[in-house]
Amino acid sequence: MNDLKTIRGMPDLYGENIEAISMVEKICLKTFKSFNYQEFRTPVLENKSLFDRSVGESSDIMQKEVYEFKDRKDELLCLRPEGTAGLVRALITNGLDNDEIKKFYYLGPMFRYERPQKGRKRQFFQAGVELIGDESSDADIEIILIANTILKKLNIKSKLQLNYLGDQESLEKYNEYLKEYLSGISDLPKYVMKNPIRALDSKDEGIKNKMSKAKSIKDFLNENQIEEFNKTKYKLDELEIDYSVNSRLVRGLDYYNGLVFEFLSDDLGAQNAILGGGRYDGLIKGLGGRDLPATGFALGIDRLADIIELLSIERDLFIGCVDKKSRTYAQALGYKIRKNNNSLIVENYLGNANVGKQLKKADSQGFKFAIIVGQDELKSKTLKLKNLREDKPDLELKEKDFLEHFEC
Ligand code: HAM
């Protein structure tokens, strides 16, 4: 039955998968908010031309990976492959591209038609930040601090790699050099001819070999740019954040200049990039907005979810029952408890299993406490609180005391 199949690379998420994803999202949100970033949500559909002009027509993403289609009015749209271009488009559309420094975060699904494998999906989730309007290396440092905080909170071991791409002029000079340098190779793919810097992340063995002896971007930086990069490295040293410089790191999207970076993990096999970003000072102007500097990153929520150790969820109270009458009472009791303290996780059991099976279920789901409401409890309005984690005698409590017990 074809219509019941999931689309390749777009799995349904449930059970432990979604628990891990939610945990990553929760830590991201908490961290973004602690740095005072504001949420921004843009649509998953945009005009395809937006990404051609930002991610770059010659990039792998736009050449091979974008989900594009014409709508009923023949407009060429695509599912967003990343979040930066949409956010920049939204800044311009909504007149938010003014001088004030802005700090935004976003979270949501992205789509790339890549070959699915461990850590690589066709619908995946990103969380990211964009810091608009500050050209200083302090802005770059701030977003690296956010990234580092999230990875530390999730207990993820990773390595930070940095590179510095200079500005449009140095990138153009480097591209000219690479064009000349690669001209000896016959049958150069179109994307390399169009944008020779793409040769740095080419998977073609011939190009890879040739590129291993090519000059790197750092030979094309001027003194100011070298100084800027040194400043960033110095600040990272001061903050005791480890990094290494990878002068071949150019990232797969065309909008970058200045500092670019990636965090890599050893636990993911080939898809080892868990987070990537950098500066994109020309993008807002390039898309028709004001000339504003910007920097940001996005992390792969699914990739992080694949490598975190899932902490077992602590659930609070399981309320069992023995028949219809006790179930109605139990439901009202659960409602009152949650009303008094909405941070508690309280299950009202709705099935017909015997008391033993109900307690087993409560235990296996990690509940700390359980009560079973039966005829005696209904009559006496006294509840026996079982501690499922510690070997302690049951606590007998009147309903009022029971409610107080769970108030804080
Ligand atoms: P990106 O490096 O293309 O950057 O993607 C960021 C992260 O998304 C990657 O490090 C990876 O963890 C995750 N990711 C990418 N593709 C997949 C996939 N097929 N399956 C699972 N995870 C994936 C950007 O998207 C830029 N917009 C980042 C940025 C923000 N730069 C400046 N601001």
Side-chain angles (χ1 to χ4, degrees):
M1 278 254 271
N2 228 6
D3 49 357
L4 289 187
K5 265 196 200 155
T6 49
I7 312 286
R8 199 159 122 78
M10 301 192 185
D12 297 315
L13 301 167
Y14 55 93
E16 284 200 352
N17 280 340
I18 196 67
E19 273 179 28
I21 284 183
S22 294
M23 187 167 139
V24 173
E25 288 178 347
K26 229 159 90 192
I27 300 280
C28 289
L29 286 177
K30 239 182 160 172
T31 311
F32 296 154
K33 286 182 182 159
S34 76
F35 279 82
N36 200 28
Y37 280 57
Q38 313 297 314
E39 183 170 7
F40 212 116
R41 269 190 220 194
T42 62
V44 288
L45 285 180
E46 296 275 1
N47 285 306
K48 184 180 173 239
S49 56
L50 170 69
F51 298 102
D52 280 333
R53 292 172 60 201
S54 51
V55 172
E57 244 181 310
S58 65
S59 66
D60 259 11
I61 296 181
M62 296 314 287
Q63 285 287 314
K64 304 187 219 153
E65 297 168 7
V66 83
Y67 278 89
E68 60 178 85
F69 63 95
K70 286 196 173 154
D71 72 2
R72 288 167 193 271
K73 289 235 164 94
D74 246 14
E75 302 260 10
L76 185 56
L77 306 180
C78 73
L79 286 171
R80 61 180 184 193
E82 57 102 51
T84 309
L87 193 137
V88 168
R89 196 266 314 133
L91 285 182
I92 303 169
T93 314
N94 296 290
L96 298 171
D97 53 335
N98 50 40
D99 285 337
E100 205 184 311
I101 293 176
K102 296 196 174 57
K103 302 178 176 186
F104 293 117
Y105 75 82
Y106 56 88
L107 216 140
M110 308 291 160
F111 304 85
R112 295 184 192 173
Y113 193 86
E114 294 186 85
R115 200 165 47 77
Q117 55 173 243
K118 185 172 156 59
R120 192 158 75 192
K121 292 186 192 167
R122 290 182 174 173
Q123 174 179 264
F124 58 99
F125 296 86
Q126 279 188 349
V129 294
E130 311 294 353
L131 201 173
I132 317 289
D134 188 329
E135 63 186 2
S136 75
S137 55
D138 292 332
D140 298 317
I141 294 291
E142 174 159 306
I143 61 163
I144 289 178
L145 284 176
I146 297 175
N148 204 50
T149 305
I150 292 172
L151 298 175
K152 285 258 145 32
K153 278 190 187 162
L154 288 168
N155 229 344
I156 287 176
K157 285 195 201 79
S158 62
K159 293 184 183 114
L160 168 62
Q161 290 195 347
L162 309 176
N163 195 16
Y164 198 85
L165 303 180
D167 58 9
Q168 225 33 54
E169 205 183 313
S170 46
L171 278 165
E172 266 164 33
K173 276 193 203 145
Y174 189 42
N175 257 330
E176 270 164 35
Y177 155 77
L178 287 176
K179 202 176 228 168
E180 177 73 33
Y181 179 76
L182 291 166
S183 59
I185 301 187
S186 56
D187 291 340
L188 264 189
K190 248 201 210 144
Y191 69 90
V192 177
M193 289 207 292
K194 252 187 147 173
N195 194 3
I197 211 169
R198 291 269 76 87
L200 280 166
D201 40 35
S202 171
K203 283 151 197 117
D204 180 297
E205 283 306 320
I207 298 176
K208 265 204 226 158
N209 271 341
K210 181 87 178 160
M211 286 305 291
S212 64
K213 294 186 193 85
K215 285 188 188 177
S216 81
I217 182 83
K218 69 173 185 266
D219 300 314
F220 296 80
L221 299 179
N222 64 32
E223 267 178 32
N224 283 347
Q225 292 162 341
I226 292 170
E227 175 63 25
E228 268 306 296
F229 192 24
N230 284 340
K231 255 196 238 166
T232 304
K233 290 188 282 182
Y234 176 74
K235 286 177 189 169
L236 288 173
D237 291 336
E238 289 277 285
L239 289 160
E240 296 181 358
I241 294 181
D242 289 338
Y243 60 83
S244 59
V245 175
N246 172 2
S247 53
R248 306 209 161 260
L249 178 69
V250 285
R251 314 261 305 119
L253 309 101
D254 280 358
Y255 47 64
Y256 290 111
N257 67 286
L259 186 79
V260 288
F261 60 91
E262 274 182 0
F263 282 83
L264 308 173
S265 157
D266 289 338
D267 299 331
L268 264 170
Q271 301 312 312
N272 60 352
I274 48 177
L275 184 154
R279 199 156 261 293
Y280 52 96
D281 292 335
L283 183 60
I284 302 174
K285 183 162 180 240
L287 288 176
R290 299 260 319 278
D291 189 5
L292 296 174
T295 183
F297 74 74
L299 59 81
I301 293 176
D302 314 68
R303 288 193 187 168
L304 294 186
D306 275 353
I307 50 179
I308 55 169
E309 284 206 16
L310 201 55
L311 298 175
S312 54
I313 294 185
E314 286 256 292
R315 296 181 167 94
D316 300 288
L317 177 65
F318 180 96
I319 308 180
C321 54
V322 296
D323 55 16
K324 269 191 185 162
K325 229 172 153 189
S326 58
R327 186 197 285 186
T328 306
Y329 173 80
Q331 199 165 39
L333 186 69
Y335 183 59
K336 285 182 205 162
I337 293 172
R338 290 186 207 95
K339 216 156 88 179
N340 284 350
N341 183 348
N342 64 12
S343 63
L344 292 177
I345 301 180
V346 180
E347 159 82 8
N348 269 113
Y349 179 71
L350 295 177
N352 297 313
N354 64 35
V355 171
K357 279 198 177 142
Q358 290 187 40
L359 289 175
K360 226 176 178 174
K361 190 180 169 88
D363 192 36
S364 70
Q365 288 194 359
F367 279 93
K368 284 187 263 178
F369 299 101
I371 51 166
I372 304 288
V373 181
Q375 297 309 326
D376 292 348
E377 284 78 8
L378 282 187
K379 256 190 241 145
S380 64
K381 294 270 176 332
T382 304
L383 300 154
K384 268 192 214 137
L385 184 66
K386 288 187 184 306
N387 190 325
L388 301 179
R389 292 282 155 265
E390 291 166 44
D391 193 14
K392 284 187 177 166
D394 293 354
L395 207 58
E396 289 211 16
L397 295 164
K398 286 281 179 204
E399 184 185 303
K400 186 173 149 292
D401 300 327
F402 184 80
L403 290 175
E404 270 175 20
H405 187 83
F406 281 100
E407 243 167 48
C408 51

